[in-house]
Amino acid sequence: NTSSSIREAFPTPINYVLVAPRVDFQAGPRGAVTIRDMFYRTDQTGIGVGTLNLPSQASNVLSEENQLQIGETFLANARFVNETHFQWSHIYNDQVAANAAPTVIVQGAFTSGGSSSGIMRDTQENFELQNDSAATVGAHALRFGAHLRAYDDRSFSTAGVNGTYYFSSVAAYQAHTPAQYSATVISNPLVRILLFDGSLYFQDDWHWKPNLMIGAGLRV
């Protein structure tokens, strides 16, 4: 019996992009607005190659995230202030096998063919809106507001649909006699989740005496 070992350098380049601008401005004599945005992106090829995995097993991976925040503070008068915050975030992950051929696993020797990971994509959208107010009425310090959120997640996967051949040895591979074949059958590769929630609150801090404060609140 003879055996051989092959070593090969396989490039896995990666690209980064990061942008994070911010803008602050006055909205009239009593308002202030802040806008922030952050965009992040990574793109890498050749993922999954190494050890017993041959170059045909490579996958390309893309990840993106974008987050936008908008905040406004409005001072109506010396006794009332209102703040509004909005946030939107977008997260996208994408992994695509470079080769769509069936996966070939030779026990203890190598893995070739296409990657069984197939195509995997996930997209998340998040929305948040929050409004808070603070007011003073006599001896009462009042706080009240609302918080709303929405979450949307869409996931797509074709993992395993290309099929996998298992060979017990190199000799079995050369003889084209696999010990096992398996494949995943997916009727609907897309799954989606959509969620909403919200809350309201009210708080009253009553300064009954200089050295005594009574607080009460409600949150739903």
Side-chain angles (χ1 to χ4, degrees):
N1 295 330
T2 60
S3 63
S4 61
S5 178
I6 300 175
R7 295 182 180 273
E8 178 184 359
F10 188 78
T12 58
I14 182 169
N15 297 314
Y16 293 96
V17 175
L18 176 61
V19 181
R22 170 175 172 164
V23 177
D24 295 275
F25 62 91
Q26 195 76 19
R30 297 181 179 179
V33 177
T34 298
I35 300 175
R36 300 184 183 94
D37 188 36
M38 188 277 292
F39 176 78
Y40 176 73
R41 173 189 171 106
T42 61
D43 186 3
Q44 187 171 8
T45 59
I47 294 295
V49 177
T51 314
L52 299 182
N53 292 342
L54 300 185
S56 62
Q57 282 280 294
S59 294
N60 302 324
V61 177
L62 171 67
S63 297
E64 290 183 350
E65 181 176 354
N66 192 13
Q67 187 178 87
L68 174 66
Q69 296 178 326
I70 302 175
E72 180 191 25
T73 301
F74 178 71
L75 182 63
N77 51 51
R79 294 181 175 272
F80 182 82
V81 61
N82 178 264
E83 295 183 350
T84 302
H85 298 277
F86 172 78
Q87 177 175 292
W88 165 75
S89 65
H90 169 83
I91 301 174
Y92 177 73
N93 294 298
D94 181 288
Q95 179 173 323
V96 180
N99 191 335
T103 303
V104 176
I105 299 177
V106 180
Q107 188 69 32
F110 62 86
T111 300
S112 65
S115 172
S116 60
S117 63
I119 300 174
M120 294 188 294
R121 295 191 175 103
D122 185 75
T123 304
Q124 299 178 32
E125 304 281 352
N126 297 278
F127 300 88
E128 290 189 39
L129 178 63
Q130 184 170 350
N131 185 269
D132 300 288
S133 296
T136 56
V137 180
H140 295 266
L142 307 177
R143 293 183 179 273
F144 52 91
H147 188 195
L148 301 175
R149 291 189 302 180
Y151 173 76
D152 184 10
D153 189 351
R154 288 162 288 174
S155 183
F156 178 92
S157 175
T158 61
V161 299
N162 62 323
T164 301
Y165 290 95
Y166 298 88
F167 294 87
S168 59
S169 64
V170 175
Y173 171 73
Q174 292 173 333
H176 304 289
T177 55
Q180 181 183 346
Y181 172 78
S182 66
T184 302
V185 178
I186 301 176
S187 58
N188 182 10
L190 180 63
V191 176
R192 184 177 185 183
I193 299 175
L194 187 60
L195 300 174
F196 297 93
D197 69 62
S199 64
L200 300 171
Y201 75 92
F202 176 83
Q203 180 177 333
D204 181 7
D205 293 328
W206 179 25
H207 294 269
W208 185 25
K209 294 181 179 180
N211 60 346
L212 177 62
M213 184 183 72
I214 300 175
L218 176 65
R219 183 179 293 271
V220 293

